[in-house]
Amino acid sequence: MKGYSEKPTRVRFRVLAFIFISVVINYMDRSNISVAATAMSKDLKLSSVELGLIFSAFGWAYAALQIPGGVMADRFGARATYAFSLITWSIVTLLQGFTKGFVSLFGLRLATGAFEAPAFPTNNKVVTSWFPNQERASAIAFYTSGQFAGLAFLTPTLVTIQHFLGWRGLFITTGIIGIAWGIMWYIFYRDPSQHNKVNKAELQHIEEGGGLVKAADKKGERAKFEWGNLKEAFSHRKLWGIYLGQFAVNSTLWFFLTWFPTYLVEYRGLDFLKSGFLASAPFLAAFVGVLLSGFVSDALVKKGVSLGIARKTPIIVGLLLSTSIIGANYVNSTSLIIMFMAIAFFGNGLASITWVFVSTLAPKHLVGLTGGVFNFIGGLASIIVPIVIGFLAKGGNFAPALVFIAALALLGALSYIFLVGKVERIKVVKDEELNRDIV
């Protein structure tokens, strides 16, 4: 390695690009079934009830295995965990191209959710190791934007693939892409202190800024699962603040992932195909929001603004903006409906740097586990919110459903205001042992 006197390398940004691509592939394999649904259900003779169960299967398994996924990230490290997750969920995606009916497809969607479960806890663990505090919100915003970029820009690509190769070819193609990328991740990714392209100046820059460079070194010795660790992850008020906030953020997200097209077509009378540009506006707004959030937050930190204000402000403002979704209840113009939806989803993007609080608050030896709990509670929104919306809208009036989404966004803002408190890492006995290990 080169000496400290030399200019720091910028390997961390290449690592960030790897995470971004992984997130895009992650969301590609979540959304490909929505593109394939019409042709697939026709070929397999699936009823609407069966199709609804297939749509929900991913969320059940994904949420249920978030905590084990976080444990995996702590126990086996980012390189092995992410490669395993990418390759296995991509194999399962490929196999969906050979399914023969409801039972096999339902099982494969469950498996997709299960194998994707470690992905976001691992994303967070990588960023916590590779980025100092003053750059971390921008890094999280950048990789999180991959989910919105995928939704906004990748869908036409998936439609094109299906047009030429059929719905089975769509699953096979996206599965092959993921398998290839999983192999590349394992070949090229290394933790900071093990990467042969990073110099000591960059390591010093990361570590002096609070990046957990050395904490990744002895993961095999220190990261054995203990039930007390799980209790620790549920024992702090500030962690419950970010857990509830994540449920609120994901509630708005899952409205747009599930009910948004149906709301436009069936409840507001829009032709979704003909108004494709307008319908994509909220996804583009969210993409802009999440990028703006990270850069603004880090800029505030660099200017000396307290970490609490710099990190909380975009999230609280974003969640409050998401409550504007209720405005769509009071307008009939297509442009105004889309405007309120775009403002709400822009706010959702603005609030989507919430993972920065896992990096900042979690005990050093529990970053992966805390991320798993965080994403588990957030993932419950993928199960609860679509079901509740369906119940609220069953009489033909969607207005109560939008009130419900707005109320959850307000709850999330209040959680950050009143529960999170001072932004500082939670210290426990294991952290003291960790500090002695890495000195």
Side-chain angles (χ1 to χ4, degrees), residues 288 315 362:
V288 173
I315 295 172

Side-chain angles (χ1 to χ4, degrees), residues 63-395:
L65 293 176
Q66 280 303 300
I67 295 174
V71 172
M72 279 186 65
D74 284 334
R75 181 68 181 90
F76 300 106
R79 184 188 179 208
T81 299
Y82 222 146
F84 171 81
S85 182
L86 267 161
I87 292 170
T88 51
W89 96 54
S90 298
I91 290 172
V92 170
T93 297
L94 185 152
L95 291 176
Q96 289 171 55
F98 299 93
T99 188
K100 300 296 184 182
F102 168 77
V103 174
S104 58
L105 187 56
F106 182 82
L108 289 170
R109 289 306 293 179
L110 278 173
T112 305
F115 289 126
E116 282 197 16
F120 270 77
T122 307
N123 289 338
N124 187 68
K125 192 171 182 66
V126 171
V127 168
T128 305
S129 299
W130 271 99
F131 284 85
N133 286 329
Q134 69 270 21
E135 297 175 357
R136 198 171 296 154
S138 298
I140 290 173
F142 181 76
Y143 82 66
T144 302
S145 74
Q147 69 190 43
F148 299 115
L151 293 168
F153 302 114
L154 202 59
T155 299
T157 303
L158 298 180
V159 171
T160 302
I161 292 172
Q162 178 171 291
H163 176 75
F164 287 104
L165 301 179
W167 68 268
R168 293 185 184 277
L170 173 63
F171 284 119
I172 293 169
T173 301
T174 52
I176 290 172
I177 291 170
I179 292 169
W181 186 250
I183 293 170
M184 288 186 65
W185 175 274
Y186 190 78
I187 291 172
F188 292 107
Y189 178 79
R190 295 293 187 277
D191 288 325
S193 59
Q194 299 170 347
H195 203 293
N196 61 8
K197 299 294 184 181
V198 64
N199 66 10
K200 290 183 179 179
E202 183 175 13
L203 290 177
Q204 184 182 40
H205 171 73
I206 296 168
E207 193 166 17
E208 287 181 351
L212 303 185
V213 171
K214 294 181 181 178
D217 291 351
K218 299 181 180 180
K219 56 183 179 293
E221 297 176 20
R222 292 196 307 273
K224 295 179 181 178
F225 176 72
E226 298 175 7
W227 285 107
N229 292 344
L230 189 59
K231 180 181 177 182
E232 194 72 44
F234 282 101
S235 298
H236 299 275
R237 187 185 72 174
K238 59 176 71 253
L239 292 182
W240 273 105
I242 66 172
Y243 297 159
L244 293 174
Q246 187 66 0
F247 182 88
V249 170
N250 276 3
S251 295
T252 302
L253 172 64
W254 278 93
F255 161 72
F256 280 96
L257 290 179
T258 56
W259 278 97
F260 179 51
T262 302
Y263 167 71
L264 293 180
V265 175
E266 295 188 12
Y267 292 87
R268 302 313 299 253
L270 275 66
D271 187 328
F272 186 66
L273 294 177
K274 290 183 179 179
S275 60
F277 174 76
L278 287 176
S280 67
F283 296 100
L284 295 173
F287 177 73
V288 173
V290 69
L291 291 178
L292 180 64
S293 177
F295 293 125
V296 168
S297 181
D298 279 346
L300 291 173
V301 172
K302 291 173 183 176
K303 287 183 177 181
V305 176
S306 73
L307 200 59
I309 293 175
R311 298 311 193 207
K312 287 181 184 179
T313 299
I315 295 172
I316 294 170
V317 171
L319 285 164
L320 292 175
L321 282 175
S322 291
T323 65
S324 67
I325 198 170
I326 201 172
N329 286 339
Y330 303 101
V331 297
N332 293 313
S333 163
T334 297
S335 297
L336 290 177
I337 292 168
I338 296 298
M339 180 192 76
F340 280 113
M341 292 290 158
I343 292 172
F345 214 22
F346 171 80
N348 186 257
L350 204 61
S352 292
I353 60 163
T354 46
W355 274 99
V356 74
F357 280 92
V358 178
S359 301
T360 307
L361 301 179
K364 289 182 179 180
H365 67 296
L366 298 179
V367 173
L369 176 59
T370 304
V373 175
F374 175 82
N375 219 24
F376 162 70
I377 294 176
L380 292 178
S382 69
I383 301 166
I384 296 171
V385 170
I387 293 172
V388 173
I389 289 177
F391 177 77
L392 293 174
K394 69 178 182 179

